[in-house]
Each structure stands twice: as C-alpha cells, then as structure tokens.
Amino acid sequence: MHSTVGVIGGGQLARMMIAPAVELGVTIKVLEEAPGMSAELAATGVGDYRDLDTVVEFAQTVDVVTFDHEHVPQHILRALVDAGVPVHPGPDALLYAQDKLLMRRKITELGLPSPDWAAIENAEELGAFLDAHGGRGVVKTARGGYDGKGVRVVDDKNGADDWFTALAEDGRGGSLIVEELVDFVRELAQQVARRPSGEIAVYPVVETVQKGGVCAEVIAPAPTAGDAVRDAAGPASATTVSDAAREIAVRVAEGIGVTGMLAVELFETRDGRVLVNELAMRPHNSGHWTQDGAVTSQFEQHLRAVLDLPLGSTRPRDPWTVMINVLGGPAGATLQSRYADAMAAHPAAKLHGYGKDSRPGRKVGHVTVSGESLEDVLTDARGAAAFFE
Amino acid sequence: MHSTVGVIGGGQLARMMIAPAVELGVTIKVLEEAPGMSAELAATGVGDYRDLDTVVEFAQTVDVVTFDHEHVPQHILRALVDAGVPVHPGPDALLYAQDKLLMRRKITELGLPSPDWAAIENAEELGAFLDAHGGRGVVKTARGGYDGKGVRVVDDKNGADDWFTALAEDGRGGSLIVEELVDFVRELAQQVARRPSGEIAVYPVVETVQKGGVCAEVIAPAPTAGDAVRDAAGPASATTVSDAAREIAVRVAEGIGVTGMLAVELFETRDGRVLVNELAMRPHNSGHWTQDGAVTSQFEQHLRAVLDLPLGSTRPRDPWTVMINVLGGPAGATLQSRYADAMAAHPAAKLHGYGKDSRPGRKVGHVTVSGESLEDVLTDARGAAAFFE
C-alpha cells in the first residue's frame, strides 16, 4: 500500500484527516497555503497550489495526492498524473466539482434528475428561461462558488449582467447557469466513498439545514428517508428517498469515476422528487457527523479510499447523530474560551475546533451529539452549540 | 483555560493524545526521548526526561505538563511545581505509581484490599513470608517494572537473591515486595479520571486478559461485573464486582490526589474478593477500547482532566467493545502490510498503528470492535487481530 498521503490545502478538512491518519499509522503531509493554517500540525510545505513547481515538489514527498478543496487547476493535476503520481480524485473527476456547467451536463447525460437548467450567455437567454419558469431562477457562475458565493436568485433578465460582463472581461468567455427555483421541502446530502479499484461504501442519507447559504445543522440519518419517492432517478427502481439518494450517488461516483469521498447535495421537492443540487469530491461538512456517529468517519474513509484500501463500515453508532456548525463571532473570541461552560452543561457533546481565528460567519468548529432519541439529541447538540454563538 | 498541553515521553500513549487534541483544538507538544518516536508528529523537543534543564526548557513552552509514562524523577517533577508549572498528575500522586512499596503501604492505609504483602530486605524475610503463604509468592521490585518486568514468582527463599544483591550494590538499599500468589479467576481494570478541581468520571470496569505478563485482550465492560462480591473494599457498601471496582478506584484517586487518568488493575479472586494489583496514572492499555467504544476516550478525558476542563461522558457506544493488542513480529514486518487483508475481511474493525518499528513482543498497535453481541464482537476482533500475528 501507499503509506504517505499528501493533502493539498491546509483547511479544516485536511486538519480532520490528521486524527484518523495518526490512528491508522498512515503518514500525512499537508501543503498549506500560508503558515499557521488549520492543518498546521501536519504541514510539511507552504505554497500556492496554483504554482506547478510548488505542487510537484510537494508531490515528490508523498505516495498519493489528495485535497482539502477542489481548486487545484486542471493543468497542474494533469501534470501530476503525467508524472506518475497517484491523484485522488483525479482530474477527470474533479472537473465536475470545479465546473458546475460541466457537472449539470454530466448529471443530465447520466440520466439523473436535476432541477430544470440552462447554460446562458446573455440577458436575453436568461430572460427566456425566467419567462418559462414563473419569472424567477437561480443563476450560478460555473466556477469559483462555494457556501452561497457565486449563487444568486434573480427575477429580472438583467439580474446577472455584472457576471456576464465579468465573464466577457476575463477573456475566457463562457456561460452562466440558470436553474429553476426548486420548491423543496428540505435539503439532503448523500455521501459515498469509492476506491480506485471500484469498491463503493454508502453512508446513510442525511438532512442538511442551511442558513444564509451555509450548512448549519445536519441530522443523520435524514428523518423519514424511508418514505416513498416519485420519479427519483429517472426510470429507476428507487421507491424511497434513501434508495433514490443512494442510487443517484452511486451512479455519479461510477459515472464520473470519483475516488475518495463524494458528497451529492440533493433537494427533496414538495412533489416527492429527489434532485441533484451540487457535488463535492472530498470530505464534506454534511459528513462531519460520521466522526462521532459512524463506525468509519468520512475522514478515515477518504484516507482508505485514496490509498486504495478496503473501505470501512458506515454503520451509525447510535440511532441519531446531530452535527451543528460553530461560526466565528467577534474577532478575539475563541471557541476554547467557552469550553468549560459547554462541557459542564453537555458532557455527551463532542466539541471540534479547527484552530482558526474567529471571524463573523467563518466556520471555526462543530458540535455533535449521538443518542437514542432525536428530540434529546437535537436539544443537547443545540444547547452545546449555543455556548459558541 | 490552559491551551497547550506538554507531554513528556514520545510513546504510543502520547501519540494517542494527538487525535483528541487536534479535534478539540488543543495544542499538544511532546518531548520525545529520541527522534522518530511514536508521537513524532507532535514532538517539539528531543531529550532525556531525567535531565532537569531539558525538562524545564520544554515546560516553558507549554501551559500544563503531563506524561506518556511515570518515569520522570521526583526531583524534576518537584522543580517544575516549584517553578509554578501545573504538573498533572503531580509528584505527590505519581510517587505511588513509581514505587510499588509506597503504593502498597498507601493502599493499605486507605483501607483498601490488597493481596497479603510484605516489605522484605533479605532471603530470611522472604522465606518467612513464603512459609506463611503455602511456599510461593510474587516478588516485585519497588521501582522500574512494567509489562511483567521486575515481577517474579518464587518458591524458594533464595529466589530473589540477585535482586537483593542489585539493591545493595546500587547504594540506595531499600526493600523488595513480596505478595501472596492470588488465586484469581480473572483480572479487571477500573479507570477513572480526576480533575484538579476534584470532579471524577468513572468508566465501566473491564476484564483484561494477560499473556506472558502483557495485556493481550480487554473486554468492556467486564462480563458479569454485576455479580455479588465478598469483602471488596473493607467494610464498604459495595455489593457487586463493578461497585467494588468503582469504589476502590474513586477512593484511590481521591486518597492519592491523582489528576488525569488513573487505572487500577484488580484481581477478582476465586472466593469473590476484589484486590488492588497495580496503579497507573496515565492513559492505560486497559482503556484503549474507549477510543472507539466510549463517548469520551481516555485520551480526550486525560487532556480534559489535566486542563481542568469538565469531564466527558464515559457512556459505552455499544453494549460490548473488545480491544486486542498487536505485538510486533519479525523485524521488517509492518502493521500496514496486512491492512488490505484485515480491512477487507473485517470492515467494522478499528485498526490502530503506533508507527513503531516491529520487534517481537513489542506493542505496535491494537484492534477494537464494538457491537451488540459479545460473541460476535470477540470473533470479529480476534479475526482482525489474527492478520497481524
């Protein structure tokens, strides 16, 4: 087996790979963007992931390259592959996490359900789509968006003119995407892991609650996910929400050739459909519950997958686990300053801090609680998280 | 709160503090004895823990000092305390983990049950004890023993002459300990954590199976620990094995003023008594099951305790967890070389590697499995561990 995993990017996702790497006895090295980032403890290099020489130099010190984020440019990924470096996920898969337009085309090509969507190049094309969809839509940039950035609800054909102008000015041209405003009852996320040799492990589908475009709370498994579903994955055999989510994620993982963790963000619509919203090819916020709530955490699973080791059990440890994100407050406030009170009041809560400076709205940690009763688990998790507001 | 924990000693116990430190967002620094030890990832210093300057210099970089082992000399511990460094456990407590004769005296003074024992200074005193105890006994050196070292079964008054000679030659003199050969049905271990402010958290008592003087297997909780007990803790109210174990450990922790994790190794005798065997004031092999089997692992709990943070829930995550140690085989064999086969056959097993070179008999990792059925859990854990034999 490969024994040294190299992670490009020093954020909290890289940080949270450290614990399972240490426990498995796998060496982990991180290329961080700047000194003192979240994954500092495992950092062996500092540099710009957009610089070929920096990345190649780092890659020469490890056995397999993986990622804290999806932003490493394609030409660098391909240079690594050409040099014989195992890269997981590989560039052919990561492309669909980097470009939402390519992703939408691929999901449609795979016969999987998306919201209605169109590639648009000007205000007239946007206007035509809005006219056909009740006058409103969601416009997205194909590249560069995350946590609600690069996403905008519009009700006017000129509502994305600034983005069209920016696209024209950057010389590369290209399209925006417009999607129907989905009438969803809730958002779900389905995670799977896939090894290079093809083995796939499926986690329970979870419910994600967003606030301000950012994931706030995750309930695992998603309540009532055994309910019947309509028209989930085209003409598929899926008859429940959880079956539909599983089938979609497995077909995406195999159709795109993902290696490592894949998260498929989903809409469950008022009329009983399950639609693909976004893809992420790395450990994902919707899977932080697995650290404390599943036999194999998404971070351990990602390491096993990129090392092409057999995947671990995804069994939940308790009937319910709830994960709540902790967002940064005023500068100077630290997560740790509230530990004593939070721990005293909530001895069963698991507190996770990312070692990041606090800034308003920035994800700086999370809390999980597991147990038998969803109501009790929610109360306990929200109570603990409230100490960090 | 203190935010940087300094660990003296770079072995696997220090290594296993890294994961919870990273997750809590607590900074951990390790003073390792030599480069490349098990806890290398968190090592910020290399040096001899018996050298005052080395230890003081390290202590100046942290907020609280704790330990991977119990071997730091008293004069160094006391120098740290005199310099105002929080040391947990402190020298007054650690003394009883460093010197088995002092420990036996203290346990007896606390009114807690030991095997019959005596301090002996020559073959005649040993002979007198053997004569009174059926001709056999266990002789122990007061200092320096672990994993069966410094412990010997004798049936002859001259059976410890070499140790008496060595004691005389090292100029410090002192006594050996002799203990009755206890007719035990099994060995147990009871862990508690205690904060400087006095709070105590109690783990379920576990059964430990020794092979060749080394812990081989742990079953958590100990089966049938609810059974009635006789004369457990003197005139105490304990009526079951688990009550007796709990009462003994709590009284030791409070009586000695332990801070951090305490493990009390116990004998359960054929005639239904629970006797104190050994003490360990640090995370302990008998508690490795908590990493995967309890809400709060002993390593997180130790960090919380030494930082004087409120202690976490000790609730088991599943009805049963079994931990099996992996011992090193022929030089050159690595734990990782067997991962693919072990993981494929045992997807629910949690594999822990210490990043240590393999030597016959050396602890290089462990396996845990948790679940509903003890029989299934044992089969699964033993099956996984067998890949590393």
Side-chain angles (χ1 to χ4, degrees):
Chain A
M1 64 173 275
H2 299 298
S3 60
T4 299
V5 174
V7 186
I8 297 180
Q12 67 261 28
L13 300 179
R15 179 190 185 97
M16 289 188 275
M17 294 179 204
I18 296 174
V22 168
E23 286 311 312
L24 285 173
V26 166
T27 302
I28 182 169
K29 297 183 178 181
V30 171
L31 174 64
E32 61 182 352
E33 294 84 342
M37 286 188 68
S38 187
E40 173 72 15
L41 184 63
T44 59
V46 175
D48 187 344
Y49 57 78
R50 295 165 301 189
D51 179 67
L52 179 63
D53 291 343
T54 298
V55 174
V56 167
E57 188 183 347
F58 174 73
Q60 284 166 347
T61 70
V62 302
D63 296 308
V64 55
V65 166
T66 189
F67 310 95
D68 172 70
H69 57 69
E70 293 134 340
H71 308 318
V72 179
Q74 281 283 322
H75 75 274
I76 291 181
L77 299 172
R78 292 185 189 281
L80 293 180
V81 171
D82 290 345
V85 177
V87 176
H88 298 296
D92 291 343
L94 264 178
L95 194 58
Y96 300 103
Q98 294 176 327
D99 189 308
K100 291 176 184 170
L101 180 53
L102 295 178
M103 182 274 279
R104 277 285 170 237
R105 285 190 179 129
K106 186 72 177 180
I107 294 296
T108 302
E109 178 191 318
L110 289 170
L112 298 172
S114 284
D116 277 353
W117 67 277
I120 51 172
E121 298 196 0
N122 53 54
E124 284 60 45
E125 290 179 1
L126 173 55
F129 186 92
L130 296 179
D131 289 348
H133 291 87
R136 299 176 74 196
V138 183
V139 177
K140 299 179 176 179
T141 56
R143 291 169 171 266
Y146 66 96
D147 276 357
K149 297 179 182 67
V151 176
R152 182 188 292 173
V153 175
V154 300
D155 58 5
D156 182 300
K157 71 173 185 176
N158 297 112
D161 282 355
D162 53 334
W163 285 354
F164 285 126
T165 303
L167 275 181
E169 282 178 353
D170 89 350
R172 293 183 303 178
S175 307
L176 297 176
I177 307 145
V178 60
E179 299 175 0
E180 67 170 314
L181 205 61
V182 175
D183 183 24
F184 62 85
V185 290
R186 62 175 174 174
E187 294 186 66
L188 304 170
Q190 175 66 59
Q191 288 192 297
V192 299
R194 184 174 175 275
R195 293 170 65 185
S197 54
E199 184 193 1
I200 288 183
V202 181
Y203 284 89
V205 66
V206 302
E207 180 173 338
T208 65
V209 180
Q210 318 282 322
K211 287 181 187 168
V214 178
C215 174
E217 195 170 288
V218 170
I219 302 171
T224 70
D227 282 7
V229 70
R230 200 190 84 182
D231 188 24
S237 57
T239 55
T240 65
V241 171
S242 61
D243 284 348
R246 165 191 285 258
E247 175 163 344
I248 289 169
V250 168
R251 284 171 62 177
V252 169
E254 292 179 338
I256 290 179
V258 177
T259 43
M261 289 297 303
L262 166 73
V264 183
E265 297 181 54
L266 300 160
F267 294 120
E268 182 179 344
T269 68
R270 195 165 306 278
D271 59 354
R273 294 174 300 152
V274 176
L275 308 177
V276 174
N277 180 16
E278 305 268 2
L279 305 183
M281 295 179 202
R282 49 173 169 74
H284 188 251
N285 199 167
S286 67
H288 291 356
W289 72 275
T290 61
Q291 288 182 302
D292 305 304
V295 171
T296 308
S297 82
Q298 65 165 341
F299 298 101
E300 176 179 343
Q301 200 76 288
H302 189 73
L303 295 176
R304 290 164 76 139
V306 303
L307 288 165
D308 204 13
L309 283 169
L311 302 177
S313 165
T314 58
R315 176 175 73 84
R317 298 299 303 267
D318 280 286
W320 298 103
T321 297
V322 167
M323 189 288 308
I324 301 183
N325 278 329
V326 174
L327 301 184
T334 66
L335 199 66
Q336 279 78 6
S337 67
R338 302 294 288 142
Y339 266 9
D341 292 336
M343 287 176 174
H346 299 277
K350 304 302 297 177
L351 308 180
H352 299 262
Y354 304 158
K356 293 162 72 173
D357 293 335
S358 185
R359 286 202 304 260
R362 188 185 208 197
K363 292 176 188 170
V364 295
H366 67 271
V367 174
T368 81
V369 175
S370 301
E372 298 278 332
S373 148
L374 177 55
E375 190 182 344
D376 291 348
V377 166
L378 270 171
T379 301
D380 203 5
R382 286 172 182 165
F387 282 92
F388 305 107
E389 278 173 4
Chain B
M1 64 174 274
H2 300 297
S3 59
T4 300
V5 174
V7 186
I8 297 180
Q12 67 260 28
L13 300 179
R15 179 190 185 97
M16 290 188 273
M17 295 180 203
I18 296 174
V22 168
E23 285 310 312
L24 285 172
V26 166
T27 303
I28 183 168
K29 297 183 179 182
V30 170
L31 174 63
E32 60 183 352
E33 293 85 343
M37 286 188 66
S38 187
E40 172 74 14
L41 184 64
T44 60
V46 176
D48 187 344
Y49 58 79
R50 295 165 301 188
D51 179 68
L52 180 62
D53 291 344
T54 298
V55 174
V56 167
E57 187 184 348
F58 174 72
Q60 284 166 347
T61 69
V62 302
D63 296 310
V64 55
V65 166
T66 189
F67 309 96
D68 172 69
H69 56 71
E70 294 134 339
H71 308 317
V72 179
Q74 281 283 321
H75 76 274
I76 291 181
L77 299 172
R78 293 186 189 280
L80 293 179
V81 171
D82 291 345
V85 177
V87 176
H88 297 297
D92 291 343
L94 264 179
L95 194 56
Y96 300 104
Q98 293 177 329
D99 188 309
K100 289 176 184 170
L101 180 54
L102 296 178
M103 183 275 279
R104 277 285 170 237
R105 287 192 177 127
K106 187 72 178 179
I107 293 296
T108 302
E109 177 192 318
L110 290 170
L112 298 173
S114 283
D116 277 352
W117 67 276
I120 50 173
E121 298 195 0
N122 52 54
E124 282 60 45
E125 292 179 2
L126 173 55
F129 186 92
L130 294 179
D131 289 346
H133 291 85
R136 298 178 75 196
V138 182
V139 177
K140 298 179 177 180
T141 56
R143 293 170 170 267
Y146 65 95
D147 276 358
K149 296 180 182 65
V151 176
R152 179 187 295 172
V153 176
V154 300
D155 57 6
D156 182 301
K157 71 174 184 174
N158 296 111
D161 282 354
D162 53 333
W163 284 354
F164 285 124
T165 303
L167 277 180
E169 282 177 354
D170 89 349
R172 292 183 305 178
S175 305
L176 297 176
I177 307 147
V178 60
E179 298 176 0
E180 66 169 316
L181 205 62
V182 175
D183 184 23
F184 62 85
V185 290
R186 60 175 174 174
E187 294 186 67
L188 305 169
Q190 174 66 59
Q191 288 193 298
V192 299
R194 184 173 174 275
R195 293 171 64 186
S197 56
E199 184 194 1
I200 288 183
V202 181
Y203 284 89
V205 66
V206 302
E207 179 173 338
T208 64
V209 180
Q210 318 283 321
K211 288 183 187 165
V214 178
C215 174
E217 194 170 289
V218 171
I219 302 171
T224 69
D227 283 5
V229 71
R230 200 190 84 180
D231 187 24
S237 58
T239 54
T240 64
V241 171
S242 62
D243 285 349
R246 164 191 287 258
E247 176 164 345
I248 290 170
V250 168
R251 285 171 64 180
V252 170
E254 293 179 338
I256 290 180
V258 177
T259 43
M261 289 297 304
L262 166 72
V264 183
E265 297 181 53
L266 301 160
F267 295 120
E268 183 180 343
T269 68
R270 196 166 305 278
D271 58 354
R273 293 174 299 150
V274 177
L275 308 178
V276 174
N277 179 16
E278 305 268 0
L279 305 183
M281 295 180 201
R282 47 171 171 74
H284 188 251
N285 199 167
S286 66
H288 290 355
W289 71 277
T290 62
Q291 289 182 304
D292 305 304
V295 171
T296 308
S297 82
Q298 64 165 344
F299 298 101
E300 177 179 343
Q301 200 77 288
H302 189 73
L303 294 175
R304 289 164 76 139
V306 304
L307 289 164
D308 205 14
L309 284 168
L311 302 177
S313 166
T314 58
R315 177 174 74 83
R317 299 297 305 267
D318 280 287
W320 298 103
T321 297
V322 167
M323 188 288 308
I324 301 183
N325 278 329
V326 173
L327 301 185
T334 66
L335 200 65
Q336 279 76 8
S337 68
R338 302 294 288 144
Y339 267 9
D341 291 336
M343 288 176 173
H346 299 277
K350 304 303 295 177
L351 308 180
H352 300 263
Y354 303 158
K356 293 162 72 173
D357 292 336
S358 185
R359 287 203 302 262
R362 189 184 206 197
K363 292 177 187 169
V364 295
H366 67 272
V367 174
T368 81
V369 174
S370 301
E372 298 279 331
S373 149
L374 177 55
E375 189 182 343
D376 291 349
V377 165
L378 270 171
T379 301
D380 203 4
R382 288 173 182 165
F387 282 93
F388 304 108
E389 280 172 3

